[in-house]
Amino acid sequence: MWPALVEGTGTVPDDDAILRQAETGAIVSCAKSGYLQHVDHGALVRAASAADVLIVLRFRPGQFVLRGEQLAAIVPADNVRTLEAAIDRGIHIGRHRTLTQDSEFGIAQVVEIAIRALSPAVNDTFTGVACVDWLADALLTLAERPPLEGNWHDTSSRLRVWMLPVRLERLAKFAFDQIRQASATTPAVLIRQLDAIRRLAPRLPDTCRQVLSDQADAILEIASSLAALDRRDLDAAWHRAHGAVEALLRPSSGEQTNTSV
């Protein structure tokens, strides 16, 4: 997770506008190939504030950067030499992904365990079910923390460092997709996913609820080949999950009536 910063706060910027600004900035290239492991946001904010510029990072922790690719842009293109050194010190590139600031990697590790467990060679349903449980806990933990907006301001509320944010809805989709795809013939895991959707729906933000609804419908769609008994159990789990999500996506008739009055 991102470390707590004390530089300052400000309004959330328009991502598209930031990217257009970056096209006019000075390019800072990556010196070596590897995974972006850690960004010292505080150091970059201080350096950008001192030079009165915006640093636009083209990659976020967990992404692989090729040697010579554009790692960052400096807007406007001033004090490039000084800021290049600050960026080199503040951005760590390594051979492996780490959990320090890479939430997606933590989810990917649990998903990988589940997929290996559900492979025909292993066929370990219990591990697959346990992975679904802990992925639900991971999403809940992320939902309870401040959103990862990907922008940092100085004490004057000026935006100084920006990167593409990691959206919780993306992580929610990632936590379900591959396990669902690997569980077409494993109803216990599919039913557990539906149960996780039902329980997560009221505790995740609105932006994630459509993702949960889509996942529930996809689980129902791929379950058509199950035995009748298993299909009945899965249908019941889908109705519970679908009802929980839809109740939050659409206001009740009573709420609509109150609003109109």
Side-chain angles (χ1 to χ4, degrees), residues 36 57-61 63-66 69-71 163:
L36 200 163
L57 302 179
R58 292 294 195 173
F59 295 85
R60 60 173 174 254
Q63 292 185 310
F64 191 84
V65 191
L66 288 172
E69 276 192 304
Q70 181 178 340
L71 180 61
M163 72 168 61

Side-chain angles (χ1 to χ4, degrees), residues 195-210:
D195 188 52
I197 290 170
R198 175 185 62 82
R199 297 161 71 187
L200 285 171
R203 304 183 69 179
L204 295 189
D206 292 344
T207 54
C208 291
R209 287 172 184 154
Q210 187 59 53

